[in-house]
Amino acid sequence: MAQYDYDLFVIGAGSGGVRASRISAGYGARVGICEESRVGGTCVIRGCVPKKLMVYAAHFHEDFEDARGFGWTVGESRFDWPTLIANKDKEIDRLNGVYKSLLSNAGVELFETRGELVDAHTVRLGDREVTADKILLAVGGWPSAPAFPGVELGITSNEVFHLPTQPKRVVVYGGGYIAVEFAGIFQGMGSQVTQVYRGPSLLRGFDQDVRDTLTTEIQKKGINVALSRTISRAEKHDGALRITLDDGTTIDTDLLLLATGRAPKISHLGLERVGVETNSDGAVVVDDYSQTSVENIFAVGDVTNRVNLTPVALMEGQAFAQTQFGDMPTPVDHKYIPSAVFSQPPVGSVGLTEDEARSEYGDIEVYQSSFRPMKHTLSGRDERTMMKLIVAADSQQVVGLHIVGLDAAEMLQGFSVAIKMGATKAQFDATIGIHPTAAEELVTMRTPRD
Ligand code: NDP
C-alpha cells in the first residue's frame, strides 16, 4: 500500500498549480489539488482575462471617434456597464468550468477548500487531512496597500471587476501594471480619471523611453496624472470620497482604486510550522527547480515572487512536473521573458532596458523610432508609436526590444522568439519587412541613435 494518499498535493489551483498538477498526473502521478476561491486563479478569475475583456470594451470609445476620419458616421453611442460586467462574468464562469474539466480529465482530484500545511507531508483541508509525498505551493499573491487614514475606503483589483455601476470619477493609486491598465479602462469608458503615482514617470522597471512615452500618451488622452505624489488620506465627503495628496491638494472622487502592488499570499499557510523559508518580501525561497528549503516541498508562481506573470507560472509549473515526475530535470528559465502592459496605448517589452544593457555590456547601440501610426493619419488622433532596439555592440546581439503603441503586445510575441534565439541586428536587417505595418519598422532601423 502507498505510504501517502497522493504522490503530489498542490495548494492553489491558479495557472501554476493547475499546469503542474495536470502535467504531473499525465506522467502517472496520483495528484490532488485544493482551491479556496475559484479554480483558475488570479489570471482567469480576477486578473488578465477579465481585464483584457474590459480593455477591449474601453477601446471602442476611440474606435467610434476614429471611424469618422474614414468616412463613417457612427450614431450616438452609449456604454452600459452592467451589460459588460454580466457578459464578462459569463465568460469567466465558462473558463472556470474549462479549468475544472482540465483537472478532472487529467485525473486530478479537486478539493474546493483552503489548504494548510500541518507537517512536511500533510495538508489540512477543512476538517480532514491528506498526505502526500511531494507538496507544491501555488497560492499566488494578493493586493497590498500602504497604510494611510481611510485606506479601507479604497478597493483593489479583487473588487474592481464587480462594481455594480460605473464610477463617474476614479482615482487610481499606483504607477505599475494594474494602475495604468485600469486608468486606461476607466478613461476609455468615459470616467474622469486621476492617477496618483509617487515616482516621476509611470511603469518603474521599464525602459525610460517607454515610461516617458506612455506617461505623455496617457496624459494626451485626458487622464490627469499626478506624479511624485502620494495619498495622505481618504475620507467620506458629500456622498463620495475626498482624497488628500501629500501637497495638500484634494480630489473628490467616486472610486479609489488601490493598485499599489501585490504580496505573496502566505498567511496561515503553515510555512513556519514546517520550516519553509521565506524572504523579507514574504516570498517562498526556491532554487532553480522550484524546491523550497524543505526537500519535498516546492513552490511556483507569484508566491515565489520571481517574475509575477501567468505564462511564467505556467513555465515554472511545467518545469516542476517534468523534473519531479517526468524524469526530465528542467530548471526554470527566466531569461528574455516578454511582457505586455495593456495600457492605452499598450506596451510590449522584452530583454534589457537601455540602462540595464549599458551596465551589463558597456558598449551598446540604440535604434529608436517614434512615428504616427498609419491608422491615425486619417483618424487624426494625436497618438504616437515608439519603438526601440538595444544591441550589444561587440556581439551585435539584440538584447532589448521595446514598443509603446497600437498592437504592441501582438507584435512583441514573434520578435521575442528571435531575441530568445539570440538574433543579431544583421539578422533583423536581413528580414524582409511586411508593408505597410508598424512592425516593419523593427527590421528597417538602420542608423543608431546618438
Ligand atoms: P506593480 O508592482 O506593477 O506596481 C505597483 C505600483 O504601486 C508601483 O507603481 C509602485 O511604485 C506603487 N507602490 C508600491 N508601494 C507603494 C506605496 N507604499 N505607496 C505608494 N505607491 C506604492 O504592481 P501591480 O499591483 O500593478 O501588479 C502586480 C503584478 O502583477 C505586476 O508586477 C505584474 O507582475 C503582474 N501583472 C501583470 C500584468 C500584465 O502582464 N499585463 C497586468 C497586471 C498585473 P514604485 O514603482 O515607485 O515602486
Side-chain angles (χ1 to χ4, degrees), residues 47-48 51 143-147 157 173-181 196-199 201-205 211 229-231 258-262 302 307-311 339-342:
C48 332
K51 176 276 309 288
S144 62
S157 56
Y173 194 21
Y177 280 81
I178 295 176
V180 296
E181 291 182 341
V196 180
Y197 174 50
R198 65 181 175 182
S201 55
L202 303 169
L203 286 185
R204 189 165 64 83
R211 302 180 63 187
R229 287 279 156 264
T230 56
I231 293 181
L258 303 162
T260 44
R262 293 171 58 85
D302 290 4
V307 179
N308 299 332
L309 299 170
T310 292
S339 80
V341 186
F342 294 95

mmCIF file of all heavy atoms in Angstrom, residues 47-48 51 143-147 157 173-181 196-199 201-205 211 229-231 258-262 302 307-311 339-342, ligand 1:
data_model
loop_
_atom_site.group_PDB
_atom_site.id
_atom_site.type_symbol
_atom_site.label_atom_id
_atom_site.label_comp_id
_atom_site.label_asym_id
_atom_site.label_seq_id
_atom_site.Cartn_x
_atom_site.Cartn_y
_atom_site.Cartn_z
ATOM 1 N N GLY A 47 -8.033 38.777 -12.993
ATOM 2 C CA GLY A 47 -6.799 39.380 -13.490
ATOM 3 C C GLY A 47 -6.815 39.491 -14.998
ATOM 4 O O GLY A 47 -7.725 40.077 -15.589
ATOM 5 N N CYS A 48 -5.797 38.887 -15.623
ATOM 6 C CA CYS A 48 -5.553 39.048 -17.057
ATOM 7 C C CYS A 48 -6.798 38.940 -17.924
ATOM 8 O O CYS A 48 -7.017 39.782 -18.801
ATOM 9 C CB CYS A 48 -4.579 37.979 -17.563
ATOM 10 S SG CYS A 48 -3.412 37.361 -16.376
ATOM 11 N N LYS A 51 -9.648 41.538 -17.246
ATOM 12 C CA LYS A 51 -9.037 42.841 -17.550
ATOM 13 C C LYS A 51 -8.970 43.072 -19.059
ATOM 14 O O LYS A 51 -9.342 44.121 -19.560
ATOM 15 C CB LYS A 51 -7.640 42.878 -16.902
ATOM 16 C CG LYS A 51 -6.782 44.095 -17.153
ATOM 17 C CD LYS A 51 -5.988 44.088 -18.423
ATOM 18 C CE LYS A 51 -5.148 42.889 -18.702
ATOM 19 N NZ LYS A 51 -3.968 42.752 -17.886
ATOM 20 N N PRO A 143 -3.491 41.600 -3.334
ATOM 21 C CA PRO A 143 -3.196 43.036 -3.367
ATOM 22 C C PRO A 143 -2.689 43.547 -2.025
ATOM 23 O O PRO A 143 -3.152 43.113 -0.970
ATOM 24 C CB PRO A 143 -4.562 43.664 -3.683
ATOM 25 C CG PRO A 143 -5.356 42.581 -4.311
ATOM 26 C CD PRO A 143 -4.885 41.300 -3.698
ATOM 27 N N SER A 144 -1.746 44.473 -2.083
ATOM 28 C CA SER A 144 -1.265 45.096 -0.851
ATOM 29 C C SER A 144 -1.393 46.611 -1.008
ATOM 30 O O SER A 144 -1.345 47.128 -2.128
ATOM 31 C CB SER A 144 0.181 44.703 -0.564
ATOM 32 O OG SER A 144 1.010 45.159 -1.600
ATOM 33 N N ALA A 145 -1.568 47.298 0.093
ATOM 34 C CA ALA A 145 -1.754 48.756 0.025
ATOM 35 C C ALA A 145 -0.994 49.411 1.166
ATOM 36 O O ALA A 145 -0.859 48.827 2.246
ATOM 37 C CB ALA A 145 -3.235 49.093 0.117
ATOM 38 N N PRO A 146 -0.482 50.615 0.926
ATOM 39 C CA PRO A 146 0.210 51.317 2.006
ATOM 40 C C PRO A 146 -0.797 51.769 3.060
ATOM 41 O O PRO A 146 -1.990 51.883 2.760
ATOM 42 C CB PRO A 146 0.821 52.534 1.301
ATOM 43 C CG PRO A 146 0.011 52.731 0.072
ATOM 44 C CD PRO A 146 -0.548 51.403 -0.315
ATOM 45 N N ALA A 147 -0.299 52.010 4.271
ATOM 46 C CA ALA A 147 -1.214 52.445 5.330
ATOM 47 C C ALA A 147 -1.384 53.961 5.254
ATOM 48 O O ALA A 147 -0.401 54.693 5.231
ATOM 49 C CB ALA A 147 -0.636 52.047 6.685
ATOM 50 N N SER A 157 -7.871 45.475 -7.083
ATOM 51 C CA SER A 157 -8.216 44.763 -8.327
ATOM 52 C C SER A 157 -9.102 43.555 -8.044
ATOM 53 O O SER A 157 -9.735 43.031 -8.954
ATOM 54 C CB SER A 157 -6.944 44.343 -9.060
ATOM 55 O OG SER A 157 -6.133 43.559 -8.220
ATOM 56 N N TYR A 173 -4.489 54.717 -7.642
ATOM 57 C CA TYR A 173 -3.251 54.948 -6.892
ATOM 58 C C TYR A 173 -2.213 53.912 -7.312
ATOM 59 O O TYR A 173 -2.426 52.714 -7.143
ATOM 60 C CB TYR A 173 -3.532 54.843 -5.394
ATOM 61 C CG TYR A 173 -2.431 55.386 -4.504
ATOM 62 C CD1 TYR A 173 -1.492 56.288 -4.982
ATOM 63 C CD2 TYR A 173 -2.349 55.013 -3.163
ATOM 64 C CE1 TYR A 173 -0.501 56.800 -4.156
ATOM 65 C CE2 TYR A 173 -1.360 55.529 -2.325
ATOM 66 C CZ TYR A 173 -0.436 56.425 -2.838
ATOM 67 O OH TYR A 173 0.538 56.931 -2.025
ATOM 68 N N GLY A 174 -1.084 54.370 -7.850
ATOM 69 C CA GLY A 174 -0.018 53.474 -8.288
ATOM 70 C C GLY A 174 0.385 53.812 -9.708
ATOM 71 O O GLY A 174 -0.353 54.513 -10.430
ATOM 72 N N GLY A 175 1.549 53.315 -10.107
ATOM 73 C CA GLY A 175 2.032 53.607 -11.458
ATOM 74 C C GLY A 175 2.518 52.350 -12.151
ATOM 75 O O GLY A 175 3.271 52.419 -13.119
ATOM 76 N N GLY A 176 2.084 51.173 -11.665
ATOM 77 C CA GLY A 176 2.539 49.905 -12.237
ATOM 78 C C GLY A 176 1.533 49.351 -13.233
ATOM 79 O O GLY A 176 0.669 50.067 -13.750
ATOM 80 N N TYR A 177 1.654 48.051 -13.494
ATOM 81 C CA TYR A 177 0.809 47.371 -14.485
ATOM 82 C C TYR A 177 -0.681 47.644 -14.242
ATOM 83 O O TYR A 177 -1.393 48.097 -15.121
ATOM 84 C CB TYR A 177 0.986 45.848 -14.367
ATOM 85 C CG TYR A 177 2.194 45.241 -15.006
ATOM 86 C CD1 TYR A 177 3.430 45.260 -14.371
ATOM 87 C CD2 TYR A 177 2.096 44.573 -16.225
ATOM 88 C CE1 TYR A 177 4.533 44.644 -14.940
ATOM 89 C CE2 TYR A 177 3.191 43.951 -16.802
ATOM 90 C CZ TYR A 177 4.413 43.987 -16.154
ATOM 91 O OH TYR A 177 5.493 43.369 -16.713
ATOM 92 N N ILE A 178 -1.157 47.283 -13.054
ATOM 93 C CA ILE A 178 -2.603 47.330 -12.814
ATOM 94 C C ILE A 178 -3.097 48.771 -12.873
ATOM 95 O O ILE A 178 -4.150 49.066 -13.441
ATOM 96 C CB ILE A 178 -2.950 46.658 -11.459
ATOM 97 C CG1 ILE A 178 -2.604 45.165 -11.531
ATOM 98 C CG2 ILE A 178 -4.421 46.862 -11.102
ATOM 99 C CD1 ILE A 178 -2.804 44.386 -10.237
ATOM 100 N N ALA A 179 -2.306 49.678 -12.321
ATOM 101 C CA ALA A 179 -2.718 51.088 -12.279
ATOM 102 C C ALA A 179 -2.885 51.654 -13.689
ATOM 103 O O ALA A 179 -3.910 52.259 -14.003
ATOM 104 C CB ALA A 179 -1.701 51.904 -11.479
ATOM 105 N N VAL A 180 -1.888 51.471 -14.549
ATOM 106 C CA VAL A 180 -2.015 52.072 -15.887
ATOM 107 C C VAL A 180 -3.091 51.356 -16.720
ATOM 108 O O VAL A 180 -3.777 51.986 -17.519
ATOM 109 C CB VAL A 180 -0.677 52.141 -16.683
ATOM 110 C CG1 VAL A 180 0.320 53.041 -15.990
ATOM 111 C CG2 VAL A 180 -0.091 50.794 -16.942
ATOM 112 N N GLU A 181 -3.239 50.064 -16.491
ATOM 113 C CA GLU A 181 -4.277 49.350 -17.250
ATOM 114 C C GLU A 181 -5.669 49.847 -16.857
ATOM 115 O O GLU A 181 -6.516 50.125 -17.718
ATOM 116 C CB GLU A 181 -4.148 47.844 -17.044
ATOM 117 C CG GLU A 181 -2.878 47.298 -17.705
ATOM 118 C CD GLU A 181 -2.691 45.796 -17.592
ATOM 119 O OE1 GLU A 181 -3.325 45.160 -16.715
ATOM 120 O OE2 GLU A 181 -1.905 45.247 -18.361
ATOM 121 N N VAL A 196 -2.555 58.781 -9.423
ATOM 122 C CA VAL A 196 -1.590 59.344 -8.478
ATOM 123 C C VAL A 196 -0.428 58.363 -8.347
ATOM 124 O O VAL A 196 -0.632 57.185 -8.025
ATOM 125 C CB VAL A 196 -2.248 59.557 -7.090
ATOM 126 C CG1 VAL A 196 -1.245 60.140 -6.104
ATOM 127 C CG2 VAL A 196 -3.484 60.437 -7.209
ATOM 128 N N TYR A 197 0.765 58.841 -8.619
ATOM 129 C CA TYR A 197 1.934 57.949 -8.555
ATOM 130 C C TYR A 197 3.091 58.651 -7.850
ATOM 131 O O TYR A 197 3.354 59.829 -8.096
ATOM 132 C CB TYR A 197 2.342 57.516 -9.980
ATOM 133 C CG TYR A 197 3.617 56.710 -9.981
ATOM 134 C CD1 TYR A 197 3.767 55.622 -9.123
ATOM 135 C CD2 TYR A 197 4.692 57.053 -10.805
ATOM 136 C CE1 TYR A 197 4.948 54.891 -9.094
ATOM 137 C CE2 TYR A 197 5.875 56.324 -10.783
ATOM 138 C CZ TYR A 197 5.993 55.248 -9.927
ATOM 139 O OH TYR A 197 7.160 54.526 -9.885
ATOM 140 N N ARG A 198 3.800 57.900 -7.028
ATOM 141 C CA ARG A 198 4.857 58.504 -6.215
ATOM 142 C C ARG A 198 6.129 58.817 -6.997
ATOM 143 O O ARG A 198 6.966 59.590 -6.534
ATOM 144 C CB ARG A 198 5.187 57.590 -5.032
ATOM 145 C CG ARG A 198 5.778 56.244 -5.410
ATOM 146 C CD ARG A 198 6.034 55.422 -4.165
ATOM 147 N NE ARG A 198 6.502 54.077 -4.465
ATOM 148 C CZ ARG A 198 6.751 53.151 -3.542
ATOM 149 N NH1 ARG A 198 6.567 53.425 -2.269
ATOM 150 N NH2 ARG A 198 7.167 51.952 -3.883
ATOM 151 N N GLY A 199 6.308 58.223 -8.168
ATOM 152 C CA GLY A 199 7.541 58.427 -8.939
ATOM 153 C C GLY A 199 7.393 59.492 -10.012
ATOM 154 O O GLY A 199 6.306 60.017 -10.235
ATOM 155 N N SER A 201 7.904 59.116 -13.409
ATOM 156 C CA SER A 201 7.210 58.649 -14.615
ATOM 157 C C SER A 201 6.715 57.224 -14.369
ATOM 158 O O SER A 201 7.324 56.473 -13.591
ATOM 159 C CB SER A 201 8.107 58.728 -15.862
ATOM 160 O OG SER A 201 9.297 58.047 -15.666
ATOM 161 N N LEU A 202 5.626 56.871 -15.061
ATOM 162 C CA LEU A 202 4.927 55.613 -14.769
ATOM 163 C C LEU A 202 5.787 54.391 -15.109
ATOM 164 O O LEU A 202 6.790 54.489 -15.806
ATOM 165 C CB LEU A 202 3.632 55.575 -15.579
ATOM 166 C CG LEU A 202 2.680 56.753 -15.331
ATOM 167 C CD1 LEU A 202 1.559 56.764 -16.355
ATOM 168 C CD2 LEU A 202 2.118 56.698 -13.909
ATOM 169 N N LEU A 203 5.365 53.237 -14.652
ATOM 170 C CA LEU A 203 5.965 51.936 -15.005
ATOM 171 C C LEU A 203 7.444 51.809 -14.652
ATOM 172 O O LEU A 203 8.288 51.542 -15.523
ATOM 173 C CB LEU A 203 5.775 51.640 -16.501
ATOM 174 C CG LEU A 203 4.391 51.239 -16.986
ATOM 175 C CD1 LEU A 203 4.453 50.861 -18.464
ATOM 176 C CD2 LEU A 203 3.808 50.072 -16.188
ATOM 177 N N ARG A 204 7.730 51.967 -13.387
ATOM 178 C CA ARG A 204 9.121 51.781 -12.955
ATOM 179 C C ARG A 204 9.595 50.380 -13.361
ATOM 180 O O ARG A 204 8.827 49.419 -13.322
ATOM 181 C CB ARG A 204 9.229 51.943 -11.434
ATOM 182 C CG ARG A 204 10.654 51.990 -10.933
ATOM 183 C CD ARG A 204 10.686 52.502 -9.521
ATOM 184 N NE ARG A 204 10.009 51.605 -8.586
ATOM 185 C CZ ARG A 204 10.563 50.541 -8.031
ATOM 186 N NH1 ARG A 204 11.820 50.234 -8.294
ATOM 187 N NH2 ARG A 204 9.881 49.773 -7.200
ATOM 188 N N GLY A 205 10.854 50.286 -13.740
ATOM 189 C CA GLY A 205 11.415 48.994 -14.147
ATOM 190 C C GLY A 205 11.436 48.852 -15.664
ATOM 191 O O GLY A 205 12.202 48.060 -16.206
ATOM 192 N N ARG A 211 8.667 54.559 -20.457
ATOM 193 C CA ARG A 211 7.992 55.244 -19.342
ATOM 194 C C ARG A 211 7.578 56.661 -19.755
ATOM 195 O O ARG A 211 6.450 57.084 -19.514
ATOM 196 C CB ARG A 211 8.932 55.308 -18.133
ATOM 197 C CG ARG A 211 9.396 53.950 -17.677
ATOM 198 C CD ARG A 211 10.313 54.055 -16.480
ATOM 199 N NE ARG A 211 9.622 54.623 -15.328
ATOM 200 C CZ ARG A 211 10.195 54.944 -14.190
ATOM 201 N NH1 ARG A 211 11.490 54.766 -14.035
ATOM 202 N NH2 ARG A 211 9.495 55.452 -13.197
ATOM 203 N N ARG A 229 3.629 62.163 -6.277
ATOM 204 C CA ARG A 229 2.642 62.458 -5.238
ATOM 205 C C ARG A 229 2.217 61.179 -4.536
ATOM 206 O O ARG A 229 2.174 60.111 -5.160
ATOM 207 C CB ARG A 229 1.374 63.072 -5.855
ATOM 208 C CG ARG A 229 1.522 64.490 -6.337
ATOM 209 C CD ARG A 229 1.403 65.478 -5.171
ATOM 210 N NE ARG A 229 2.068 66.710 -5.464
ATOM 211 C CZ ARG A 229 3.329 67.038 -5.104
ATOM 212 N NH1 ARG A 229 4.040 66.219 -4.384
ATOM 213 N NH2 ARG A 229 3.849 68.184 -5.435
ATOM 214 N N THR A 230 1.913 61.295 -3.268
ATOM 215 C CA THR A 230 1.328 60.160 -2.547
ATOM 216 C C THR A 230 -0.010 60.605 -1.959
ATOM 217 O O THR A 230 -0.292 61.807 -1.877
ATOM 218 C CB THR A 230 2.246 59.662 -1.418
ATOM 219 O OG1 THR A 230 2.530 60.770 -0.554
ATOM 220 C CG2 THR A 230 3.543 59.077 -1.950
ATOM 221 N N ILE A 231 -0.793 59.619 -1.557
ATOM 222 C CA ILE A 231 -2.072 59.928 -0.918
ATOM 223 C C ILE A 231 -1.851 59.982 0.592
ATOM 224 O O ILE A 231 -1.270 59.058 1.182
ATOM 225 C CB ILE A 231 -3.134 58.870 -1.286
ATOM 226 C CG1 ILE A 231 -3.458 58.970 -2.782
ATOM 227 C CG2 ILE A 231 -4.391 59.038 -0.435
ATOM 228 C CD1 ILE A 231 -4.518 57.994 -3.276
ATOM 229 N N LEU A 258 -6.899 51.075 -5.410
ATOM 230 C CA LEU A 258 -5.540 50.906 -4.886
ATOM 231 C C LEU A 258 -4.822 49.875 -5.750
ATOM 232 O O LEU A 258 -5.182 48.689 -5.739
ATOM 233 C CB LEU A 258 -5.596 50.430 -3.433
ATOM 234 C CG LEU A 258 -6.371 51.352 -2.484
ATOM 235 C CD1 LEU A 258 -6.764 50.609 -1.205
ATOM 236 C CD2 LEU A 258 -5.547 52.586 -2.148
ATOM 237 N N ALA A 259 -3.848 50.331 -6.521
ATOM 238 C CA ALA A 259 -3.084 49.418 -7.387
ATOM 239 C C ALA A 259 -1.621 49.566 -7.019
ATOM 240 O O ALA A 259 -0.781 49.930 -7.835
ATOM 241 C CB ALA A 259 -3.344 49.745 -8.848
ATOM 242 N N THR A 260 -1.364 49.318 -5.768
ATOM 243 C CA THR A 260 -0.039 49.610 -5.211
ATOM 244 C C THR A 260 0.761 48.336 -4.942
ATOM 245 O O THR A 260 1.561 48.282 -4.005
ATOM 246 C CB THR A 260 -0.191 50.421 -3.903
ATOM 247 O OG1 THR A 260 -1.249 49.825 -3.129
ATOM 248 C CG2 THR A 260 -0.541 51.858 -4.187
ATOM 249 N N GLY A 261 0.561 47.333 -5.759
ATOM 250 C CA GLY A 261 1.391 46.144 -5.677
ATOM 251 C C GLY A 261 0.669 44.950 -5.072
ATOM 252 O O GLY A 261 -0.447 45.056 -4.563
ATOM 253 N N ARG A 262 1.328 43.821 -5.187
ATOM 254 C CA ARG A 262 0.775 42.567 -4.669
ATOM 255 C C ARG A 262 1.848 41.865 -3.848
ATOM 256 O O ARG A 262 3.030 42.019 -4.117
ATOM 257 C CB ARG A 262 0.318 41.671 -5.821
ATOM 258 C CG ARG A 262 -0.880 42.239 -6.582
ATOM 259 C CD ARG A 262 -1.181 41.450 -7.844
ATOM 260 N NE ARG A 262 -1.440 40.046 -7.578
ATOM 261 C CZ ARG A 262 -2.623 39.556 -7.222
ATOM 262 N NH1 ARG A 262 -3.667 40.346 -7.121
ATOM 263 N NH2 ARG A 262 -2.780 38.264 -6.998
ATOM 264 N N ASP A 302 3.417 33.321 -8.320
ATOM 265 C CA ASP A 302 3.583 34.591 -7.607
ATOM 266 C C ASP A 302 4.013 34.421 -6.149
ATOM 267 O O ASP A 302 4.602 35.346 -5.576
ATOM 268 C CB ASP A 302 2.271 35.398 -7.636
ATOM 269 C CG ASP A 302 1.948 35.940 -9.021
ATOM 270 O OD1 ASP A 302 2.691 35.637 -9.970
ATOM 271 O OD2 ASP A 302 0.946 36.667 -9.143
ATOM 272 N N VAL A 307 9.155 36.229 -11.265
ATOM 273 C CA VAL A 307 8.597 37.153 -12.262
ATOM 274 C C VAL A 307 7.096 36.874 -12.253
ATOM 275 O O VAL A 307 6.672 35.778 -12.619
ATOM 276 C CB VAL A 307 9.200 36.901 -13.663
ATOM 277 C CG1 VAL A 307 8.593 37.856 -14.683
ATOM 278 C CG2 VAL A 307 10.713 37.035 -13.629
ATOM 279 N N ASN A 308 6.316 37.839 -11.784
ATOM 280 C CA ASN A 308 4.908 37.549 -11.495
ATOM 281 C C ASN A 308 4.012 37.699 -12.715
ATOM 282 O O ASN A 308 3.252 38.656 -12.836
ATOM 283 C CB ASN A 308 4.422 38.450 -10.359
ATOM 284 C CG ASN A 308 5.221 38.199 -9.087
ATOM 285 O OD1 ASN A 308 5.726 37.094 -8.883
ATOM 286 N ND2 ASN A 308 5.339 39.203 -8.252
ATOM 287 N N LEU A 309 4.119 36.756 -13.612
ATOM 288 C CA LEU A 309 3.314 36.752 -14.825
ATOM 289 C C LEU A 309 2.766 35.345 -15.031
ATOM 290 O O LEU A 309 3.476 34.356 -14.773
ATOM 291 C CB LEU A 309 4.160 37.144 -16.047
ATOM 292 C CG LEU A 309 4.792 38.541 -16.016
ATOM 293 C CD1 LEU A 309 5.796 38.701 -17.151
ATOM 294 C CD2 LEU A 309 3.726 39.628 -16.099
ATOM 295 N N THR A 310 1.528 35.268 -15.526
ATOM 296 C CA THR A 310 0.899 33.955 -15.714
ATOM 297 C C THR A 310 1.742 32.983 -16.550
ATOM 298 O O THR A 310 1.962 31.845 -16.135
ATOM 299 C CB THR A 310 -0.491 34.136 -16.361
ATOM 300 O OG1 THR A 310 -1.298 34.776 -15.393
ATOM 301 C CG2 THR A 310 -1.113 32.826 -16.773
ATOM 302 N N PRO A 311 2.230 33.395 -17.722
ATOM 303 C CA PRO A 311 2.988 32.426 -18.517
ATOM 304 C C PRO A 311 4.272 31.960 -17.821
ATOM 305 O O PRO A 311 4.760 30.864 -18.082
ATOM 306 C CB PRO A 311 3.326 33.210 -19.799
ATOM 307 C CG PRO A 311 2.317 34.312 -19.846
ATOM 308 C CD PRO A 311 2.061 34.671 -18.416
ATOM 309 N N SER A 339 6.883 40.787 -21.909
ATOM 310 C CA SER A 339 5.672 41.137 -21.163
ATOM 311 C C SER A 339 4.990 42.314 -21.830
ATOM 312 O O SER A 339 5.631 43.122 -22.514
ATOM 313 C CB SER A 339 5.981 41.436 -19.698
ATOM 314 O OG SER A 339 6.482 42.734 -19.550
ATOM 315 N N ALA A 340 3.693 42.380 -21.632
ATOM 316 C CA ALA A 340 2.910 43.461 -22.221
ATOM 317 C C ALA A 340 2.102 44.130 -21.132
ATOM 318 O O ALA A 340 1.662 43.482 -20.187
ATOM 319 C CB ALA A 340 1.980 42.909 -23.293
ATOM 320 N N VAL A 341 1.937 45.412 -21.270
ATOM 321 C CA VAL A 341 1.045 46.145 -20.380
ATOM 322 C C VAL A 341 -0.112 46.607 -21.252
ATOM 323 O O VAL A 341 0.112 47.288 -22.260
ATOM 324 C CB VAL A 341 1.756 47.363 -19.758
ATOM 325 C CG1 VAL A 341 0.855 48.026 -18.724
ATOM 326 C CG2 VAL A 341 3.090 46.968 -19.141
ATOM 327 N N PHE A 342 -1.327 46.238 -20.849
ATOM 328 C CA PHE A 342 -2.479 46.572 -21.696
ATOM 329 C C PHE A 342 -3.038 47.943 -21.334
ATOM 330 O O PHE A 342 -4.219 48.119 -21.081
ATOM 331 C CB PHE A 342 -3.519 45.452 -21.628
ATOM 332 C CG PHE A 342 -2.980 44.180 -22.231
ATOM 333 C CD1 PHE A 342 -2.402 43.198 -21.426
ATOM 334 C CD2 PHE A 342 -2.979 44.000 -23.600
ATOM 335 C CE1 PHE A 342 -1.861 42.052 -21.984
ATOM 336 C CE2 PHE A 342 -2.441 42.855 -24.170
ATOM 337 C CZ PHE A 342 -1.877 41.882 -23.360
HETATM 338 P P1 NDP B 1 3.370 46.803 -9.673
HETATM 339 O O1 NDP B 1 4.477 46.356 -8.819
HETATM 340 O O2 NDP B 1 3.465 46.708 -11.132
HETATM 341 O O3 NDP B 1 3.006 48.314 -9.316
HETATM 342 C C1 NDP B 1 2.785 48.738 -8.011
HETATM 343 C C2 NDP B 1 2.731 50.246 -8.019
HETATM 344 O O4 NDP B 1 2.396 50.701 -6.725
HETATM 345 C C3 NDP B 1 4.069 50.871 -8.387
HETATM 346 O O5 NDP B 1 3.829 51.991 -9.175
HETATM 347 C C4 NDP B 1 4.630 51.239 -7.026
HETATM 348 O O6 NDP B 1 5.504 52.356 -7.048
HETATM 349 C C5 NDP B 1 3.377 51.622 -6.280
HETATM 350 N N1 NDP B 1 3.551 51.470 -4.845
HETATM 351 C C6 NDP B 1 4.014 50.390 -4.178
HETATM 352 N N2 NDP B 1 4.044 50.612 -2.859
HETATM 353 C C7 NDP B 1 3.599 51.879 -2.680
HETATM 354 C C8 NDP B 1 3.420 52.699 -1.538
HETATM 355 N N3 NDP B 1 3.718 52.252 -0.309
HETATM 356 N N4 NDP B 1 2.972 53.957 -1.719
HETATM 357 C C9 NDP B 1 2.671 54.406 -2.957
HETATM 358 N N5 NDP B 1 2.819 53.681 -4.073
HETATM 359 C C10 NDP B 1 3.283 52.423 -3.945
HETATM 360 O O7 NDP B 1 2.107 46.003 -9.102
HETATM 361 P P2 NDP B 1 0.629 45.835 -9.627
HETATM 362 O O8 NDP B 1 -0.189 45.749 -8.400
HETATM 363 O O9 NDP B 1 0.291 46.848 -10.658
HETATM 364 O O10 NDP B 1 0.693 44.437 -10.335
HETATM 365 C C11 NDP B 1 1.231 43.321 -9.644
HETATM 366 C C12 NDP B 1 1.965 42.427 -10.576
HETATM 367 O O11 NDP B 1 1.026 41.686 -11.339
HETATM 368 C C13 NDP B 1 2.815 43.148 -11.607
HETATM 369 O O12 NDP B 1 4.074 43.463 -11.121
HETATM 370 C C14 NDP B 1 2.877 42.163 -12.715
HETATM 371 O O13 NDP B 1 3.919 41.290 -12.441
HETATM 372 C C15 NDP B 1 1.533 41.471 -12.623
HETATM 373 N N6 NDP B 1 0.599 41.996 -13.630
HETATM 374 C C16 NDP B 1 0.868 41.784 -14.936
HETATM 375 C C17 NDP B 1 0.030 42.280 -15.907
HETATM 376 C C18 NDP B 1 0.364 42.052 -17.346
HETATM 377 O O14 NDP B 1 1.166 41.178 -17.637
HETATM 378 N N7 NDP B 1 -0.191 42.827 -18.274
HETATM 379 C C19 NDP B 1 -1.181 43.019 -15.570
HETATM 380 C C20 NDP B 1 -1.363 43.196 -14.158
HETATM 381 C C21 NDP B 1 -0.506 42.694 -13.243
HETATM 382 P P3 NDP B 1 7.061 52.185 -7.433
HETATM 383 O O15 NDP B 1 7.084 51.896 -8.895
HETATM 384 O O16 NDP B 1 7.640 53.506 -7.104
HETATM 385 O O17 NDP B 1 7.576 51.078 -6.596
#
